[in-house]
Amino acid sequence: MATLIFTEALLTTGLGHLGRCTALAEKLLEEGESSIQMILHTDHTSSNWSFPCQVQSINWKEKNQLKEFLDEYNQTTDLSGFIFYVDSYLAELEIYNTLKDYCSELICIDDDCRLKYPVGSTILNPGYPGLYLEYNTEKYKILTGKDRVLLRKPFREKFEIPKRNIPPQKILVTLGGSDPHLFSEEILSLFVKNFPALEKHLVVGPGFTNEMKLKELSDKNTFFYKNLSAIQMRDLMVQMDFAITAGGQTTYELDRCKVPMVMIKTAENQEGNIRGFVEFQKGQVIREPNELLEILKNNFFHTTDID
């Protein structure tokens, strides 16, 4: 069945939703679906992204633009047989209602019960968060759990996982597309001061506003990365001995690469995901970057190892 995927990639939203919608498109193509388009609202944050399907850029969250797009599409192709997926931090309920009027099935990708979605929709919560939310199973079909996680193709393929160094020699810091709390500065400062011999690998998202400051804080063992493809990100992860990560989609990628990690919440909709990793996989979480020192000391280093 033909599919349209509606999502966004903005400096204010990061790239998590785009990552899992890319994975969704890849998965649908592998399952034999030949007609897939992604309808993307973007401010060019995604300009270096690799897409597996056709992409059309419009602000579909604006009702007039959305209806114009759908009506024009409907003139050549009957949308009533389509499945629509929607993955958004920002779309209002009115937009979901409009989309549902045009398609055969509306699948709402959700993290934290953000809206009361149109009755009869399917809610896909791909990961742990859906296990803790009280979705109305009489109004919606619910798909959730870790087995529903949408991983990009390089993370689903077979690949070699090398032996980790203990204590770690290479640490990855990956906080998503943006860093509104400037956690990257605190984390990098902590590592440069206390672990100068460690290799510190920091992924700088397109929404970071502090790149120059990070370079000022770095040392000779600090390495920065930008605009990584999925396979580049995977190959970087598998080399790492330890990671500090935001609590979103990247946690599942690190988990697939079997990289020990500490999570820090950078957005409210990560709460259920972090809770799942803590409860089901004994994951470790911090509230502030300065808590990292104690975790590393207790798990990897003796006090005398820390400068």
Side-chain angles (χ1 to χ4, degrees):
M1 187 173 291
T3 301
L4 295 183
I5 301 171
F6 295 82
T7 193
E8 63 219 0
L10 306 165
L11 287 178
T12 55
T13 62
L15 298 173
H17 286 190
L18 180 59
R20 67 185 177 190
C21 284
T22 300
L24 170 64
E26 290 172 342
K27 188 171 184 294
L28 292 173
L29 288 167
E30 290 168 9
E31 292 173 352
E33 176 55 68
S34 58
S35 179
I36 299 172
Q37 282 195 52
M38 188 178 296
I39 314 304
L40 181 66
H41 179 206
T42 184
D43 53 9
H44 305 296
T45 297
S46 60
S47 58
N48 293 294
W49 200 263
S50 178
F51 294 95
C53 61
Q54 289 186 334
V55 178
Q56 186 162 342
S57 296
I58 64 169
N59 183 4
W60 58 270
K61 297 189 291 295
E62 200 282 315
K63 186 176 180 180
N64 289 334
Q65 289 190 50
L66 176 62
K67 284 188 64 64
E68 182 180 349
F69 165 75
L70 293 172
D71 289 338
E72 183 176 337
Y73 204 114
N74 233 358
Q75 291 178 9
T76 56
T77 307
D78 183 7
L79 288 173
S80 64
F82 276 55
I83 295 176
F84 289 177
Y85 287 85
V86 188
D87 193 358
S88 175
Y89 288 114
L90 304 172
E92 298 179 354
L93 179 58
E94 180 182 29
I95 297 300
Y96 286 85
N97 286 329
T98 298
L99 288 166
K100 193 170 191 308
D101 288 341
Y102 282 81
C103 64
S104 65
E105 182 178 7
L106 180 66
I107 301 178
C108 308
I109 303 179
D110 180 74
D111 294 303
D112 55 1
C113 211
R114 189 176 73 86
L115 291 173
K116 292 183 179 179
Y117 297 103
V119 174
S121 302
T122 296
I123 295 178
L124 170 59
N125 191 318
Y128 286 127
L131 303 178
Y132 304 107
L133 297 171
E134 295 182 359
Y135 290 119
N136 188 326
T137 55
E138 294 183 359
K139 292 183 177 180
Y140 311 112
K141 178 182 177 181
I142 310 300
L143 304 174
T144 193
K146 190 180 177 185
D147 60 335
R148 297 285 183 178
V149 169
L150 297 168
L151 288 174
R152 292 177 289 173
K153 187 175 181 178
F155 293 95
R156 290 184 281 111
E157 296 173 336
K158 291 184 179 180
F159 54 92
E160 185 178 349
I161 298 174
K163 184 179 180 181
R164 309 289 175 202
N165 296 300
I166 300 177
Q169 297 176 10
K170 298 180 179 182
I171 290 187
L172 177 67
V173 181
T174 174
L175 299 173
S178 60
D179 182 19
H181 308 291
L182 301 181
F183 286 152
S184 56
E185 294 180 18
E186 296 182 64
I187 292 169
L188 183 56
S189 295
L190 182 147
F191 280 127
V192 168
K193 178 181 178 181
N194 295 283
F195 306 98
L198 281 180
E199 289 187 15
K200 296 159 280 287
H201 299 259
L202 199 153
V203 178
V204 179
F208 276 50
T209 59
N210 61 339
E211 190 172 351
M212 291 302 297
K213 180 64 175 179
L214 290 170
K215 289 181 179 178
E216 291 174 9
L217 293 170
S218 66
D219 61 15
K220 65 178 182 180
N221 288 320
T222 302
F223 305 90
F224 296 102
Y225 304 86
K226 293 180 68 175
N227 302 321
L228 296 181
S229 67
I231 194 162
Q232 288 172 328
M233 190 67 172
R234 186 202 71 187
D235 289 348
L236 177 64
M237 285 181 177
V238 296
Q239 297 175 50
M240 296 296 110
D241 300 317
F242 189 77
I244 298 94
T245 180
Q249 180 74 7
T250 305
T251 54
Y252 296 103
E253 296 178 348
L254 287 164
D255 181 64
R256 177 68 181 89
C257 294
K258 301 191 184 302
V259 181
M261 62 181 152
V262 166
M263 297 167 287
I264 184 167
K265 185 171 74 172
T266 61
E268 287 303 314
N269 67 354
Q270 297 171 2
E271 183 66 38
N273 197 51
I274 290 172
R275 180 180 172 185
F277 271 97
V278 170
E279 293 186 7
F280 290 96
Q281 298 188 216
K282 298 181 180 179
Q284 297 190 83
V285 60
I286 57 174
R287 293 163 295 178
E288 301 289 340
N290 57 22
E291 297 174 23
L292 269 173
L293 195 60
E294 194 66 22
I295 287 179
L296 291 168
K297 183 174 69 176
N298 290 339
N299 287 273
F300 298 112
F301 298 98
H302 298 297
T303 304
T304 54
D305 296 327
I306 301 176
D307 294 347

